[in-house]
Structure formats: C-alpha cells, structure tokens
Amino acid sequence: MSSPVNKMPTALRFASILFVIVWLTMAAFPFIWTFWGSFKVELDFFSISDWTNAITGKRTLETHGSPFTGAGYNGAWIEEGFLRNVINTFIVCFFVVCTSLTFGTLGGYALSRSGFRYTFWLLIAALIFRAMPPITLVAGYMLPFFEWNLWGILPTTIIVLVAINQPFTLWMLHSFFQNIPKELDESAKVDGCTQFQAFRHVIIPVMWPGVITTGLFSFLLAYNDFAVTSMLLSEGNRTMVPQIAAFLGTTYTEGNIMFAVAAVVSATAPLFVLVMFFQRQIVSGLTAGAVKG
Amino acid sequence: MVGVLPPPSLFSKHLRKHSLMKHRTFFWFFFPTGMAMLLFIALPILSVVTQSLFTPHEAVLVTVETCTPFKCTEETAIDQEATAAIRAAEPLGRFVGLDIYFDRGHLAIIEVSEAWRARVSFADFLSKLNNLPFYRAIAFTLAFTFIVTPLVILMGLVIALAVNTLHAKLKGIVIFFSLLPFVITPLIGALVLFWMIDSRGILGNALQWLAGDPTLSLKASTGLMWISLMVYGVWHAAPFAFVIFYAGLQTLPMDQLEAAQIDGASRFQRLRYVIVPHLMPLVTFVALIQLMDNFRVFEPIVGFNASAHASSLSWAIFNDLGGETQQLSSAAATSVITIIGVAILLSPVLVRTWRDHKRKA
C-alpha cells in the first residue's frame, strides 16, 4: 500500500488516529466501566460525592472489606434465580437457530434455483415482513394464544421468533446460494440425483460458511429480542432480557440495582465471546447483504 | 453412429430444463418457511387489523332494587358474572368500526380539529398536538428516524475512512471493539449508557462539571433526553455502517484515484468525486436498513426510563400491551398505523425494485 494515494499529511494522519482512539473509547469504555463497576456497591457505582470511588471502590472496601465484591452477582444469580433465565435463553436460542436454518436453507435454496416470476414476489414479501417492527404483530398473537392456551410457554416463543427471523434468513441465504454455481447441482441432477439429494449432498457441504454466518445472526436476533419475549413469556419462563427489564421495575424502588448491573454484565459476556470467535463471519454476513443489494 | 448423441442444441435444452426448479419441488422446499411466515406474520397482521375494529365489552350493569321497610332505592351495579360471561363468549369484543383509530389515544380527530380551530399560532397548535399521546409518539419516532439515520451514515463513513488508514495489524482489534455496540442487546446497551449518564454516573458527573451546574440531570429535561436517546441510536448503529463502508473501501478503484490525483484533485475532491460515488450503493443500502430499524425505536426508551419525555409508536404498542389492563384493541390500532407508516417509508424502495425487475423481465 505504498501508492502515493495513501500518503497523508501529518496533521490529517494525526487527526484520523485521534478519531479512531475517540471512537474506540466510545465503543469499548461503557462495557469496561460497567464490568468494573459490577463488582462494587451501589454507592460506588453511582457515586454522588466523588467519581473516583467507582474506580477505587472506597465504599465497597468499607462494606465488604475488599474493593471488589460479588454481592451483585450473588444477588442476581442466587437470590433472584437468574440461572433459570439464562437456561431459558439458551434453550430458546438453540431451537430458534436450528429451526431457522433448516427452514431458511430449504427456502433460500429454492428461491435461488427457481427462475419463475413468483420468487421475486416472495422475496419482496419477505422484505416487507422484515421491515415491520415485530411488536406490531404481538397484538395479533395475544388473543389467539390466550384462547388456545399457548401463551407464556417457550415453544410458542421459539416458533414466533423463527417466523420473525425467516425473512432475514431467507434474504441472507438466498444471496449466499446465488454465489454457488448452478452447474454444481445441475450436474448432480444429470447424474441422477433428485433435487433434494443434490441439495443435501452437493450444495450443503459447500454452503457451511454461509450457514454458520446466517446462524450467528439468527442467534443474535433471538438472544437480543425484547419485544416478543417480554410479551409472550410468563413470569416463570422469562429469558434473560425481559428478566433484566423486570429487575429494573423492582430495583429502582428496592435499591438493589447492582443485581441488574450484574445481570447485564452476565448477559453481555456470551456476546463478547461470540464476537471474539466469529468476528470474520459477522463482518462477512453484514457485507453479504450489502454487496448483493 | 450418427444420432446416438443428441445434437448440441437439444442437449443444452435438456440442461436448461434441469436448471429451472419444478413448481412442485419448489413448493415442498419452500413449504416450511412459507408456512412459518404465513401463520406467524401474515395471519397475525389480519388478526391485528380485525382486533383494531373491536373494543372490549363494557361491563354489564344491573339495577338492583334494595328495599328497607321505609322505602326502596334503586342502585346500579356491575354484574360481574354476566360481564365475564359475555367477555368470554366474545373475546374480540364488540364491533366499533374505525372508532378506535379516531379516539383520543390515536388520531384524536376531535381534539385535533378543536386545537386547530382554537389555535393562537401554529406553534401553539403543535404544542397542543404534542399533548396527545399518539402525536407525541409519532413526533419522536420521525425525529429519531430522520436524525439518527444520516448521522449513522456520516459516523460510519468517517470511522471507515479513519480505520482504513491504520496499520493492517491494528485493524482487526479495532473492528473487534467497534462491533461491540452493534451486537449488544439493545436494551442492555441502552442500560449501560444510561447508568453512565445518570446524574450519579460518570458521564452525568462530567457533564455537571462541564456545565458548572451540579443539579443538571438528563432525566429532568426533554431536550437532553432526546439527545441522549439519539446518541444511543448513533452509538448502536454506527458500527454497522462502518463495517459496510469499510468493506466497500477495500474495492476502491485505485486507477481512478491515481488518475484523479495526477489531474490535481485534492484529497477532499478525491473523497467527494471518487470515493463517495463508489460507496453510493452501499449508502443506499445502509440508509434503507437504518430507516427500517430506527422507525421501530423502542428499547432505548425502556432502558433510559424515558417515557416521561419521549415515546415512540413501538413503545406505545408495548405500553398498551403490558399495562395492568391489556388494551389489545388500542395496541392493535397503533400497530396498524405503524405498519402503514412502514409501508410509506418503504414505498420508494419497492417502486424502484419493481421498475428494475420490469426492465430486466
């Protein structure tokens, strides 16, 4: 990259490095700060008198005899039974990802291989569905789910999240399938495979990167959802995010906001690990949609 | 031996037949996903529209005559049993047509026309509109959508340009940290920021110190609350725009850039006339996605506990559904209006896609 285009004046170079540092601080500092603060008592994390208390943990030292305390985590995980919500989240995410990918690969493959007019309209319908805020559908679920006693349980939420995921999954997998040459399954069919056999034994093995990337985004959608899970799950079946929202309702009055802080840090950790291991797939997934338009 | 192999033209026709999936095969491949979308997206839309035309049955009133030895009094009381019975028998409620759309909680036709007639000035009319919950929600939703979207694009572009000049080894780690605000659960991201800008948090403290006003609190001011919600919006979505633009910058036409430089184009001119046009399709893509996502703004209002200062269409639906008395019909009416809003927002894209499709066909 030594082309003259990239030679920058010193001032501009300096400004751009400064900007990157400012942006990195904006992006990372809130998480570091909250992580650090989650081991403190409330009077340190929200310190009125002196902000350095949040770093040194003066009040925490006074209360617990050490500048770090696991009291928030103890409160969230043991007293409030946050583990139950964590397990629920992972059950929901696991089934949402598996079902979404099964439905999505079949549908996305069909859309990329059928040249008929209706594939265009199906993709447009999916785009419209993708644009609708999920919460607008919830009012439509409530009454039927109550009437048929489906409300409040995990399977209902899973299938609803799968359906809400489908438009996005279809678009993404469709664009990945388009990149796989049609000759591949054509030759398999000429050799006597059925369409499904061609899909199963020829296309899927070369599709793994695309499937993993799409799976990551399905996971994020299910993991991050608040609108649907908070409305469709009963109190005992809550996943992490609605539970954190429920903590907020009670903690502002009861004064154990550190439970919520600890729960927030706990819920962030899996996402942190996810980005660490799958950074490349996330980036490629984001750009896959853009390049295809 | 002539005739054993089919002529080339026939052979390719045979191949072409294979290349198009048969309708039947397509149907079975598409069946699971189509069913999921039909049952849980298309039908619920119909259900929402239906629900929005009905309102819960009013309580059944009975007049009970209680007589004392001296006189009889008539009292009106709610017949709990009958009320429960009719509500169970017709859970949809009674048909009211478009009444819910026009009531005070939604389009508020009466209140709006009154305010218009009694207006002192246009600003006065607008402030009266702002007291109506629906107009308050739509004002914030639109402001959020149309302020955050351009800022996200601008921010993402600047980050991408800055990161692109870094040493290759640094890029990976910068992208890692940049992705965090984007993948984070929106509610959690909002909470993390909110706890920092709380008047007792570190940013809140810093702002008080900067402004020299120890009583400054974001929670007390509508303007500051709107700004912090929008800051959250940009913080959350800028990484998305950054990653897309960064990918676009990797495919820059180097020859054009060098040609422009030889022709004496300044750094800014090269950005304006070569780089930005090259990224334009990506800008359109980011704008489309961001318009859709910002229009559904909702979690930050919950996370920032900001409902006193800002509300959005999605938040209004959430609030109706989650309250002690579930107002399904009210939520449904707001949902229908929101869906119409999304359709209007999306219509330019749809029209363009359709034209492209026709041209190709």
Side-chain angles (χ1 to χ4, degrees), chain B residues 1 3 14 25 35 54 68 120 147 172 209 224 231 242 271 284 291 305 319 326:
Chain B
M1 293 301 282
H14 177 71
T25 326
M35 232 18 205
F54 288 82
T68 59
V120 185
I147 293 174
W209 179 75
L224 286 177
V231 167
F242 153 58
L271 177 67
T284 319
L291 283 179
N305 205 3
N319 194 41
Q326 276 192 336

Side-chain angles (χ1 to χ4, degrees), chain B residues 8 27 50 149 173 236 259 267 278 281 291 358:
Chain B
F27 175 81
T50 318
T149 306
I173 189 103
H236 176 63
R267 187 165 282 279
H278 175 75
L291 283 179
K358 283 215 97 175

Side-chain angles (χ1 to χ4, degrees), chain A residues 7 118 130 141 189 224, chain B residues 18 23 40 185 267 296:
Chain A
K7 270 202 198 109
Y118 49 73
R130 158 73 178 79
Y141 298 138
K189 276 160 73 184
N224 288 346
Chain B
H18 268 289
H23 295 302
F40 293 97
T185 312
R267 187 165 282 279
R296 60 175 74 159

Side-chain angles (χ1 to χ4, degrees), chain B residues 132-142 226 229 297 301 306-316:
Chain B
L132 296 164
F134 176 77
Y135 290 95
R136 213 167 75 90
I138 215 164
F140 179 76
T141 309
L142 289 180
W226 278 41
L229 286 169
V297 52
I301 298 178
S307 51
H309 299 292
S311 99
S312 70
L313 292 172
S314 293
W315 187 84

Side-chain angles (χ1 to χ4, degrees), chain B residues 79-341:
Chain B
D79 186 342
Q80 302 287 2
E81 233 170 77
T83 310
I86 192 167
R87 284 189 180 162
E90 293 170 28
L92 260 181
R94 63 194 169 85
F95 183 78
V96 287
L98 293 176
D99 280 6
I100 300 175
Y101 289 91
F102 298 139
D103 72 5
R104 197 187 178 280
H106 299 91
L107 294 174
I109 300 295
I110 301 169
E111 285 81 359
V112 171
S113 54
E114 242 165 50
W116 180 251
R117 252 179 275 125
R119 74 188 182 280
V120 185
S121 64
F122 192 64
D124 168 64
F125 173 65
L126 285 185
S127 82
K128 270 187 187 149
L129 268 193
N130 207 30
N131 289 332
L132 296 164
F134 176 77
Y135 290 95
R136 213 167 75 90
I138 215 164
F140 179 76
T141 309
L142 289 180
F144 188 87
T145 309
F146 288 102
I147 293 174
V148 169
T149 306
L151 286 180
V152 163
I153 292 174
L154 191 71
M155 187 79 180
L157 186 62
V158 178
I159 302 174
L161 287 171
V163 170
N164 203 30
T165 63
L166 287 180
H167 190 272
K169 276 184 184 157
L170 282 173
K171 284 176 180 170
I173 189 103
V174 172
I175 292 176
F176 171 74
F177 282 111
S178 300
L179 280 175
L180 289 179
F182 175 67
V183 296
I184 192 76
T185 312
L187 183 74
I188 290 179
L191 280 173
V192 164
L193 285 201
F194 177 64
W195 287 331
M196 288 175 75
I197 60 166
D198 186 278
S199 58
R200 300 168 301 159
I202 180 165
L203 284 181
N205 258 324
L207 285 178
Q208 285 171 354
W209 179 75
L210 279 176
D213 174 7
T215 60
L216 181 79
S217 167
L218 292 165
K219 277 182 267 184
S221 148
T222 300
L224 286 177
M225 196 43 119
W226 278 41
I227 292 174
S228 25
L229 286 169
M230 287 172 188
V231 167
Y232 164 79
V234 175
W235 178 78
H236 176 63
F240 168 71
F242 153 58
V243 167
I244 304 242
F245 293 147
Y246 179 75
L249 286 179
Q250 308 314 307
T251 60
L252 271 184
M254 276 304 168
D255 48 342
Q256 276 185 38
L257 272 179
E258 280 170 26
Q261 196 177 23
I262 291 163
D263 288 347
S266 72
R267 187 165 282 279
F268 178 76
Q269 282 170 328
R270 268 177 279 151
L271 177 67
R272 171 72 187 77
Y273 295 105
V274 183
I275 299 179
V276 169
H278 175 75
L279 294 180
M280 217 48 208
L282 300 182
V283 172
T284 319
F285 170 76
V286 173
L288 169 69
I289 300 284
Q290 281 301 303
L291 283 179
M292 297 196 295
D293 285 356
N294 290 331
F295 194 74
R296 60 175 74 159
V297 52
F298 154 56
E299 280 102 337
I301 298 178
V302 178
F304 279 51
N305 205 3
S307 51
H309 299 292
S311 99
S312 70
L313 292 172
S314 293
W315 187 84
I317 300 169
F318 178 79
N319 194 41
D320 278 346
L321 288 174
E324 291 216 336
T325 50
Q326 276 192 336
Q327 293 166 301
L328 282 186
S329 305
S330 170
T334 315
S335 299
V336 172
I337 299 173
T338 309
I339 293 174
I340 294 172

Side-chain angles (χ1 to χ4, degrees), chain A residues 1-292:
Chain A
M1 291 299 252
S2 60
S3 81
V5 175
N6 286 305
K7 270 202 198 109
M8 297 173 87
T10 328
L12 191 61
R13 159 142 294 184
F14 183 73
S16 103
I17 288 174
L18 192 73
F19 183 81
V20 171
I21 292 171
V22 169
W23 162 248
L24 278 185
T25 317
M26 277 173 67
F29 178 69
F31 297 107
I32 299 167
W33 179 260
T34 310
F35 176 72
W36 183 264
S38 68
F39 295 100
K40 302 279 182 270
V41 292
E42 188 183 345
L43 283 174
D44 276 336
F45 188 59
F46 294 107
S47 123
I48 312 166
S49 48
D50 183 2
W51 67 271
T52 53
N53 280 357
I55 299 171
T56 57
K58 190 159 154 260
R59 299 295 187 99
T60 317
L61 192 64
E62 282 165 17
T63 323
H64 295 281
S66 145
F68 298 99
T69 171
Y73 291 91
N74 187 49
W77 285 76
I78 312 291
E79 282 174 43
E80 299 283 343
F82 194 59
L83 183 64
R84 181 71 243 157
N85 312 110
V86 176
I87 295 171
N88 281 342
T89 296
F90 283 100
I91 294 174
V92 168
C93 289
F94 176 77
F95 285 105
V96 167
V97 170
C98 293
T99 325
S100 286
L101 287 181
T102 314
F103 288 13
T105 39
L106 287 169
Y109 174 70
L111 286 175
S112 73
R113 289 303 184 260
S114 164
F116 292 107
R117 180 70 59 84
Y118 49 73
T119 58
F120 170 78
W121 294 109
L122 287 172
L123 281 169
I124 288 294
L127 179 69
I128 296 171
F129 289 160
R130 158 73 178 79
M132 287 192 332
I135 188 119
T136 55
L137 298 172
V138 175
Y141 298 138
M142 289 302 224
L143 198 58
F145 286 0
F146 276 132
E147 289 291 302
W148 300 326
N149 266 330
L150 293 171
W151 184 86
I153 51 175
L154 292 178
T156 314
T157 307
I158 290 169
I159 190 72
V160 165
L161 285 174
V162 166
I164 289 177
N165 248 333
Q166 277 310 298
F168 173 78
T169 314
L170 274 183
W171 267 91
M172 196 160 198
L173 284 169
H174 169 76
S175 78
F176 277 121
F177 278 121
Q178 293 257 292
N179 288 341
I180 293 179
K182 288 198 173 78
E183 286 75 25
L184 216 56
D185 35 335
E186 275 163 24
S187 56
K189 276 160 73 184
V190 171
D191 287 347
C193 279
T194 64
Q195 186 90 46
F196 186 76
Q197 283 168 333
F199 167 74
R200 170 74 192 75
H201 298 291
V202 180
I203 299 299
I204 284 299
V206 293
M207 260 300 277
W208 272 117
V211 171
I212 288 175
T213 306
T214 315
L216 278 172
F217 281 87
S218 295
F219 174 84
L220 282 178
L221 217 130
Y223 191 92
N224 288 346
D225 178 84
F226 173 58
V228 172
T229 48
S230 68
M231 282 295 141
L232 290 188
L233 287 173
S234 62
E235 207 175 322
N237 282 332
R238 273 190 197 130
T239 51
M240 278 196 260
V241 181
Q243 182 60 38
I244 288 169
F247 276 159
L248 293 179
T250 56
T251 48
Y252 281 126
T253 50
E254 287 170 18
N256 45 7
I257 195 166
M258 294 318 288
F259 290 12
V261 178
V264 156
V265 173
S266 313
T268 312
L271 292 176
F272 195 83
V273 176
L274 193 83
V275 183
M276 212 140 71
F277 284 103
F278 295 104
Q279 180 178 334
R280 192 181 304 156
Q281 281 82 356
I282 293 175
V283 170
S284 83
L286 285 176
T287 45
V291 176
K292 284 273 150 191

